[in-house]
Amino acid sequence: DTGVSQDPRHKITKRGQNVTFRCDPISEHNRLYWYRQTLGQGPEFLTYFQNEAQLEKSRLLSDRFSAERPKGSFSTLEIQRTEQGDSAMYLCASSLFPLTGAVTVRANYGYTFGSGTRLTVV
Amino acid sequence: SQKIEQNSEALNIQEGKTATLTCNYTNYSPAYLQWYRQDPGRGPVFLLLIRENEKEKRKERLKVTFDTTLKQSLFHITASQPADSATYLCALVRTGGFKTIFGAGTRLFVKA
């Protein structure tokens, strides 16, 4: 397993266009998170999945944003009708969250992040 | 409102010295606290986690302390090296929570 992969690394789009990003988490991880980060700030939580269920969405996530994780594997984040304020680094992370005693032994509760997708809306 | 505060000013230290970074939080009851390293253009990398019932955690040259009374964590890098230069992020997870909330980070520069 090579870690968390995100695609594309960079995306430049015109205002009003739709964009979709993909995240492939570490295969044994059951939780997947999306964060957004702007220059000089820490990552801001957007949403997270436990397996295929989306369990929370931040108020930051307007109706233009949607995320999916079909079959509990990879995830996609789509932004419709992009605006210049959407320009940011979009980070995906995964973690192994203990659900049983056996899992607890391996879980360290830290997140493994991908390298992110840099979105520029012009 | 809930806040995580890290020193926004960059920390400049000489190689070989100990770097100490501070994380303060308000209106929060964290179950555990994490520290991450982030290099420019890259995602954060998990370094250490400390739980609310732990006072101190060590890993190689890294040491983290957690004072729930002061609502503060200190992150130390001993015998610092230029390769330690990066932004260090403090992050909290609330008791019974599921998402990690990050501070804005502190930039560390280690001069040779």
Side-chain angles (χ1 to χ4, degrees), chain B residues 5-96:
Chain B
E5 295 179 342
Q6 295 186 256
N7 195 337
S8 59
E9 290 184 16
L11 179 63
N12 291 281
I13 64 167
Q14 200 65 37
E15 182 177 12
K17 301 293 185 183
T18 296
T20 298
L21 286 68
T22 304
C23 174
N24 294 297
Y25 59 92
T26 56
N27 297 328
Y28 230 120
S29 295
Y32 51 91
L33 185 149
Q34 304 170 13
W35 284 89
Y36 289 78
R37 168 186 173 138
Q38 187 171 27
D39 292 288
R42 311 293 295 182
V45 174
F46 171 69
L47 296 175
L48 277 172
L49 177 150
I50 186 165
R51 292 180 172 78
E52 59 181 336
N53 59 351
E54 298 175 320
K55 297 289 187 188
E56 182 179 298
K57 184 74 72 75
R58 291 176 185 260
K59 179 182 175 183
E60 298 172 353
R61 294 185 297 112
L62 308 180
K63 184 178 86 170
V64 173
T65 62
F66 193 9
D67 189 326
T68 54
T69 301
L70 292 178
K71 296 186 183 296
Q72 182 181 78
S73 174
L74 299 178
F75 176 79
H76 306 272
I77 306 175
T78 58
S80 60
Q81 304 165 1
D84 295 327
S85 299
T87 296
Y88 291 87
L89 300 165
C90 166
L92 301 177
V93 180
R94 290 180 299 182
T95 302

Side-chain angles (χ1 to χ4, degrees), chain A residues 11-115:
Chain A
K11 179 71 176 178
I12 300 174
T13 190
K14 291 184 178 179
R15 191 173 50 188
Q17 297 294 305
N18 298 344
V19 294
T20 300
F21 311 141
R22 177 181 171 122
C23 172
D24 287 90
I26 291 175
S27 56
E28 68 170 351
H29 284 181
N30 54 0
R31 285 196 170 177
L32 185 148
Y33 311 81
W34 285 98
Y35 282 79
R36 178 172 68 187
Q37 187 175 25
T38 53
L39 199 61
Q41 300 299 314
E44 292 178 292
F45 171 79
L46 294 178
T47 189
Y48 98 102
F49 294 83
Q50 181 153 305
N51 301 315
E52 67 276 6
Q54 186 175 18
L55 297 186
E56 185 176 350
K57 287 176 61 171
S58 165
R59 287 171 295 174
L60 294 174
L61 223 61
S62 73
D63 291 343
R64 297 184 298 106
F65 287 71
S66 62
E68 294 182 344
R69 191 182 183 198
K71 303 177 185 176
S73 55
F74 71 92
S75 176
T76 58
L77 178 68
E78 181 183 17
I79 309 175
Q80 296 181 327
R81 305 181 302 281
T82 52
E83 301 172 356
Q84 286 188 321
D86 297 331
S87 296
M89 174 78 88
Y90 288 83
L91 293 163
C92 175
S94 68
S95 70
L96 181 59
F97 192 79
L99 298 176
T100 68
V103 172
T104 301
V105 172
R106 301 193 303 274
N108 67 6
Y109 300 88
Y111 290 8
T112 302
F113 279 88
S115 293

